Amino acid sequence: MADTKSHSNFVISDNKKRTGSDDFDDSNNFMTTKKQMLFPSSPHDDPAASLAAARHEFGEHGGVNMSIEASATFTVMEPETMRRMFSGELGPDRDFFIYSRHFNPTVLNLSRHMAALEFTEAAYCTSSGMAAISSVLLQLVSSGGHMVASRALYGGTHALLTHFLPRACNITTTFVDINDLEMVKNAMVLGQTKVLYFESVSNPTLRVANIPELSRVAHEKGVKVVVDNTFAPMVISPARLGADVVVHSISKFISGGADIIAGAVCGPASLVNSMMDLQQGTLMLLGPTMNAKVAFELSERIPHLGLRMKEHCHRALVFATRMKKLGLKVIYPGLEDHPNHNLLKSFGNKDYGFGGLLCVDMETEERANRLMNHLQNSTQFGLMAVSLGYYETLMSCSGSSTSSELNAEEKALAGISPGLVRMSIGYIGTLEQRWSQFEKALSRMQDSATFNKY
């Protein structure tokens, strides 16, 4: 896409607030500094170390937490400054802001943290995960364009690619088994396919994508790789494995409180700049703006994301192992018989485990519902609710809930059984307390099944 005007380039700041004048000292060698991004690449291997090394923003009066900039619009000291900001000469890199749909200091701070988390040059936080996904795809693919995507995707994303984009934008998608590299390669049309889209860990089937090989195959054909890493923050770092763009529903693990809807686009500064273009940028023109108060809340939660993820993942592995011993059909990448166990082990970030979600396949929706009913209403093991990453365990029957946008054939191709129960394992209460609740619920379900035979 042609580079016209944008409201800023993502460049490194000198971390000083501007004073009375809107001008700045050219001795800082502005053009040279532009080569260093506002979100410099991290030398750290651990995402927690990368987050700790990110710029810390202090409050207006010296508070240890940054202030919330709730303003929708921002003033300037000199009339000429307005023109310079709209031309892209001055921007948030030098602490110049125009309007919070463009950039907001509090949201920008969260974006820095998201870039550090995902080891990317830049990031932009949005009002929802779907806003992040749709904005990226509409920026990278024009009318008449083509994408290749995994068959196993979150239902909302699948609906976007299957129904909305073809109707509204004349953008088509070929769905593939993302674990079949040859199928993926053959589906990409040189010169026409613009994006390969998949989830690092598929929703809900928990298949792990071979990000290095998929990125290699896509790049050989000039195709950009966009990865949804919502299921595996801290666990997998797609950008370090070859992905061009990483998207998130921050509403899930990163938020952790099931009380916020938010998303993020993490990738090259050139992409984020293009998405903020005054004339053709999807973030600029579609306006999926994050509220500054939401950004502040999330910035306070990211520092303990690593601790939370380790506990989510530890309990998921323990529960999956014990459930399997009970004879249940369990799907979890941490189990050695999972088809992608060794793959995730080979490139997952050390010490973060294999993810905080597991699936139990009860084969039929009726049996799945009975199990969830006992788990919630008899023993309080968890809650029947969609979403994930909450401190309580959340359970849903995927085929009739978060994957209900797929028809029966699409569900079969994606490997979604009618009785597949997706569990986002929480960390509240003790592990043994929660396991006892699970065993009691399973026992009651089996007892009631025996009783119903007579």
Side-chain angles (χ1 to χ4, degrees), residues 261-444:
I261 301 295
V265 177
C266 309
S270 58
L271 171 67
V272 177
N273 284 336
S274 73
M275 296 177 77
M276 292 304 296
D277 185 271
L278 279 171
Q279 297 172 337
Q280 300 194 64
T282 51
L283 291 172
M284 176 65 75
L285 300 175
L286 299 179
T289 309
M290 176 181 282
N291 185 287
K293 295 172 186 177
V294 168
F296 176 82
E297 284 276 347
L298 292 168
S299 295
E300 296 298 290
R301 301 177 191 195
I302 282 186
H304 46 73
L305 174 62
L307 298 175
R308 290 188 281 116
M309 287 306 300
K310 286 181 179 180
E311 189 63 16
H312 281 300
C313 296
H314 168 65
R315 292 195 180 199
L317 177 59
V318 172
F319 288 169
T321 302
R322 293 181 180 182
M323 288 175 185
K324 185 182 175 185
K325 287 181 179 178
L326 291 177
L328 295 171
K329 186 178 179 181
V330 185
I331 302 168
Y332 182 66
L335 297 176
E336 292 186 1
D337 62 354
H338 188 282
N340 308 125
H341 173 76
N342 290 330
L343 176 66
L344 180 52
K345 195 174 181 179
S346 71
F347 62 57
N349 291 317
K350 187 179 178 183
D351 299 329
Y352 289 98
F354 296 88
L357 291 109
L358 62 84
C359 289
V360 178
D361 191 350
M362 299 301 290
E363 297 182 347
T364 69
E365 184 178 350
E366 186 272 334
R367 295 187 74 235
N369 288 341
R370 280 172 48 213
L371 174 64
M372 291 190 296
N373 183 51
H374 281 291
L375 288 171
Q376 174 180 286
N377 299 321
S378 297
T379 68
Q380 293 75 53
F381 170 78
L383 305 173
M384 286 185 280
V386 297
S387 198
L388 51 121
Y390 190 42
Y391 53 80
E392 290 274 11
T393 292
L394 302 180
M395 310 169 291
S396 60
C397 184
S398 296
S400 57
S401 58
T402 54
S403 296
S404 60
E405 293 91 339
L406 283 69
N407 62 37
E409 182 183 358
E410 290 167 338
K411 289 175 190 174
L413 286 170
I416 301 171
S417 159
L420 191 70
V421 177
R422 189 189 75 185
M423 295 185 184
S424 171
I425 302 301
Y427 53 78
I428 194 170
T430 70
L431 188 153
E432 295 304 331
Q433 174 191 18
R434 292 307 193 190
W435 177 247
S436 175
Q437 291 170 327
F438 182 87
E439 285 187 310
K440 287 177 182 177
L442 190 65
S443 176
R444 290 181 184 180

Side-chain angles (χ1 to χ4, degrees), residues 4-221:
T4 55
K5 294 181 180 178
S6 65
H7 271 176
S8 94
N9 286 324
F10 279 81
V11 294
I12 192 119
S13 170
D14 58 9
N15 292 344
K16 295 178 182 176
K17 297 289 183 183
R18 59 187 168 105
T19 54
S21 172
D22 284 334
D23 218 339
F24 59 88
D25 184 0
D26 281 323
S27 64
N28 284 336
N29 199 349
F30 183 67
M31 294 310 293
T32 300
T33 309
K34 285 180 75 172
K35 295 177 182 178
Q36 297 176 278
M37 297 302 170
L38 186 60
F39 311 90
S41 57
S42 172
H44 304 285
D45 292 329
D46 189 322
S50 181
L51 282 167
R55 167 179 161 183
H56 186 94
E57 196 77 37
F58 292 95
E60 183 180 359
H61 302 289
V64 294
N65 295 315
M66 80 170 296
S67 303
I68 301 174
E69 182 49 82
S71 300
T73 190
F74 301 82
T75 188
V76 296
M77 300 298 293
E78 299 163 359
E80 178 65 13
T81 303
M82 193 75 74
R83 180 195 60 78
R84 296 173 71 187
M85 288 196 295
F86 272 85
S87 70
E89 184 182 347
L90 298 177
D93 52 287
R94 310 297 294 183
D95 203 35
F96 289 90
F97 295 89
I98 300 174
Y99 188 65
S100 280
R101 176 165 57 84
H102 313 150
F103 291 102
N104 172 283
T106 313
V107 179
L108 191 59
N109 180 62
L110 177 63
S111 297
R112 289 192 191 99
H113 285 99
M114 289 303 301
L117 170 65
E118 287 298 350
F119 298 95
T120 58
E121 223 174 22
Y124 190 96
C125 293
T126 60
S127 54
S128 70
M130 285 304 300
I133 293 166
S134 57
S135 295
V136 166
L137 297 182
L138 287 171
Q139 191 69 31
L140 294 176
V141 189
S142 300
S143 177
H146 176 252
M147 293 188 292
V148 173
S150 171
R151 288 171 175 164
L153 293 174
Y154 163 59
T157 309
H158 195 280
L160 175 72
L161 272 55
T162 305
H163 304 293
F164 182 84
L165 291 182
R167 175 184 63 81
C169 308
N170 192 30
I171 294 171
T172 58
T173 300
T174 300
F175 292 95
V176 296
D177 177 352
I178 208 67
N179 294 106
D180 185 339
L181 286 174
E182 198 62 29
M183 186 179 189
V184 174
K185 186 175 182 179
N186 292 337
M188 291 186 289
V189 181
L190 189 65
Q192 184 181 354
T193 305
K194 302 301 180 184
V195 166
L196 172 62
Y197 182 92
F198 55 90
E199 296 164 346
S200 57
V201 180
S202 64
N203 183 2
T205 54
L206 305 185
R207 294 296 297 271
V208 181
N210 190 339
I211 302 172
E213 282 301 295
L214 287 165
S215 298
R216 179 187 63 79
V217 168
H219 293 156
E220 285 176 354
K221 292 202 173 185

Side-chain angles (χ1 to χ4, degrees), residues 209-259:
N210 190 339
I211 302 172
E213 282 301 295
L214 287 165
S215 298
R216 179 187 63 79
V217 168
H219 293 156
E220 285 176 354
K221 292 202 173 185
V223 174
K224 298 292 185 186
V225 177
V226 179
V227 179
D228 183 339
N229 200 33
T230 297
F231 272 31
M234 310 293 290
V235 178
I236 300 174
S237 299
R240 298 179 71 195
L241 301 173
D244 299 293
V245 185
V246 182
V247 293
H248 273 280
S249 172
I250 301 181
S251 317
K252 311 303 191 296
F253 284 112
I254 295 173
S255 166
D259 58 342

